[in-house]
Amino acid sequence: MEMKDLIAGFSGQLQRAVEIGTAAKLSQPRNAIHNIALLGLGGSAFGGEITKNAVQIKVPFQIHRNYDAPPYVSTNTLVIVSSYSGNTEETLQAVLACHQRGAMIVCITSGGELAKFAQQNGYDLIMLPTGYPPRTAAGFSFVQQLFVLKHFNLIGEFLPEIQESIQLLNDFSDHAFARELAADCFEKAVVLYSSDASDSISIRFRQQINENAKQLCWNHYLPEMNHNELVGWEKPDFLLPKTMVIFLRWSYDHPRVNLRFDINKEIIEPKSGKLTEVWAKGTSKIAQLMYLLHLADWVSLYLAELNAVEPTPVRVIDYLKNALSMR
C-alpha cells in the first residue's frame, strides 16, 4: 500500500484498533502493579510516547529502548512489549531479561519471534494486522496500550476521546496548510518545539520527516529548552536564516508554559528563517494529539514529494539491520 493511502486511512486504523482491543483476552495480574515498562523502539515505541501524554497513569510509566531490562523490573512490574514486526533485536533481548525477573508481560505485535515467545511462555498476546511499515501502525500500538492499561485498572475511560479523534480525522481538511508547511520546510533545517506535556508530537514529527522525507531535523520541548537550547540561537550565523521553526501548541499546557512560548517566539522569530505556530484542533487530549500527529504525517509526505524521494522505503535502516545480522 502506498504511504499516501496509509496516512489517509489512519482514522480507519483507529477504529480497527478499537475493535482489536475490545476483543482482546487479557489475564488478571498475579501481583500488585507498582510500575510499568514499555519495551520498544522506533514506530513501535512511539505509541508509548502518546500514551504518556494522553492519559493519567496511576503508577510510574517508562519507555525503554535498549537490549537490557530496566533495573527496577520485578514481579510487581507490568511489561508491555511493543514490536510491530515481532523481530526487533533489542526488544527481544529486553523482554527475555524481564521474563527472567518474573515480570507480568503483555506482548503487542503482528507476529514474528515475539508472538512465538508469548505463546511459548503463556503471556498475554494482542495480534495486530500485518502489512504495515511500523511507523504507520502507531494507532494500533497506542490504542492497544490504552486497552491494556484500562484492563489493569491503571487509567480511566478513554473510548470517547478515541471516537472524537476518529471523527476529527474523518473530517480532516487541512491539506493546503500541510502543503504550505512542507514548502516552508523544503531545503531548511527544521526545528520543532512542543511542551513536555505534548512532546510525543514533536518526536513523531521529527521521525516522520526523517523516515518519509529522508531529511534531518531536530526537536526539543519547553520549559527544558529554555535552560539550554535557547542560548544556542546565537550561532552559527550561516544556519539560523535557513531554519524553519514550528511551535506545536495545544490547549492543555500550563499557563506559564504558554507564556514561555510567547517570549520564545519574540526571541527566536527574528533569528530564524521562518517561525510558524501550529495549534491542535479538537477538544480532548487524545483528539488534539491525533490531529497534530495526522497533520505531521501529511507534512512529511508532501515534503517527501518536494525532496523527490520515495516515502515508504527506509533502505539505510534495512542496510543497518542486515549488517548487524552478519556480525
Side-chain angles (χ1 to χ4, degrees):
M1 190 180 296
E2 295 291 330
M3 182 61 66
K4 181 178 181 179
D5 297 324
L6 290 166
I7 294 173
F10 187 64
S11 62
Q13 180 181 137
L14 292 177
Q15 184 59 56
R16 178 69 180 121
V18 170
E19 296 167 1
I20 294 169
T22 301
K25 304 298 183 183
L26 300 174
S27 60
Q28 295 302 311
R30 301 189 309 270
N31 305 306
I33 297 172
H34 295 170
N35 45 53
I36 306 163
L38 186 283
L39 309 184
L41 287 100
S44 295
F46 175 70
E49 298 287 355
I50 311 176
T51 297
K52 68 181 179 60
N53 286 166
V55 293
Q56 293 290 324
I57 305 173
K58 295 179 181 179
V59 298
F61 175 94
Q62 183 185 51
I63 302 168
H64 187 71
R65 296 174 166 93
N66 216 321
Y67 289 92
D68 54 358
Y72 56 82
V73 168
S74 71
T75 56
N76 295 107
T77 301
L78 173 64
V79 174
I80 303 174
V81 192
S82 178
S83 171
Y84 179 74
S85 69
N87 295 314
T88 308
E89 175 182 298
E90 303 94 321
T91 303
L92 290 173
Q93 289 199 27
V95 71
L96 180 59
C98 293
H99 164 72
Q100 292 169 345
R101 295 191 192 179
M104 296 167 279
I105 296 175
V106 179
C107 299
I108 302 171
T109 184
S110 68
E113 292 300 315
L114 182 59
K116 294 178 185 177
F117 170 83
Q119 291 164 345
Q120 289 169 355
N121 291 282
Y123 288 127
D124 290 340
L125 173 63
I126 301 178
M127 292 293 294
L128 304 178
T130 59
Y132 290 77
R135 64 190 182 276
T136 68
F140 285 127
S141 63
F142 163 58
V143 173
Q144 299 323 305
Q145 288 173 37
L146 296 183
F147 272 101
V148 170
L149 295 175
K150 184 68 170 66
H151 171 79
F152 290 109
N153 195 32
L154 297 169
I155 62 172
E157 184 55 65
F158 62 89
L159 281 174
E161 295 191 27
I162 297 292
Q163 294 303 327
E164 182 197 356
S165 303
I166 292 169
Q167 187 59 54
L168 183 67
L169 300 190
N170 282 338
D171 296 336
F172 185 84
S173 60
D174 287 334
H175 291 279
F177 180 45
R179 287 189 181 277
E180 178 184 333
L181 282 175
D184 289 336
C185 293
F186 181 55
E187 296 186 336
K188 294 290 192 302
V190 182
V191 186
L192 308 165
Y193 291 133
S194 64
S195 72
D196 64 340
S198 62
D199 64 341
S200 60
I201 298 305
S202 61
I203 292 169
R204 172 68 172 192
F205 213 139
R206 170 178 55 79
Q207 291 175 345
Q208 292 297 78
I209 288 178
N210 293 158
E211 294 194 63
N212 288 345
K214 280 56 177 182
Q215 181 171 325
L216 283 173
C217 71
W218 76 82
N219 71 287
H220 209 328
Y221 55 88
L222 278 70
E224 173 63 22
M225 65 83 65
N226 286 173
H227 297 265
N228 36 68
E229 185 166 312
L230 185 61
V231 186
W233 278 96
E234 293 292 334
K235 300 289 180 182
D237 293 330
F238 78 91
L239 179 61
L240 299 184
K242 297 180 180 180
T243 57
M244 170 59 188
V245 182
I246 301 177
F247 283 3
L248 298 164
R249 311 287 303 272
W250 70 336
S251 62
Y252 288 92
D253 281 329
H254 190 282
R256 297 293 292 181
V257 172
N258 287 327
L259 177 59
R260 285 177 179 271
F261 268 114
D262 294 340
I263 298 172
N264 274 254
K265 183 176 182 180
E266 295 171 6
I267 296 168
I268 296 173
E269 191 167 33
K271 299 175 182 292
S272 64
K274 184 173 183 179
L275 188 152
T276 298
E277 292 188 284
V278 176
W279 281 90
K281 294 184 179 179
T283 57
S284 68
K285 278 189 172 183
I286 292 178
Q288 291 195 17
L289 291 168
M290 292 298 99
Y291 169 82
L292 290 173
L293 181 155
H294 198 53
L295 178 69
D297 285 358
W298 283 114
V299 172
S300 72
L301 179 70
Y302 297 140
L303 184 56
E305 294 176 358
L306 293 172
N307 285 340
V309 296
E310 297 179 75
T312 304
V314 284
R315 295 185 179 91
V316 69
I317 296 178
D318 295 335
Y319 170 82
L320 173 66
K321 289 180 178 179
N322 289 333
L324 285 168
S325 68
M326 299 170 65
R327 302 184 190 185

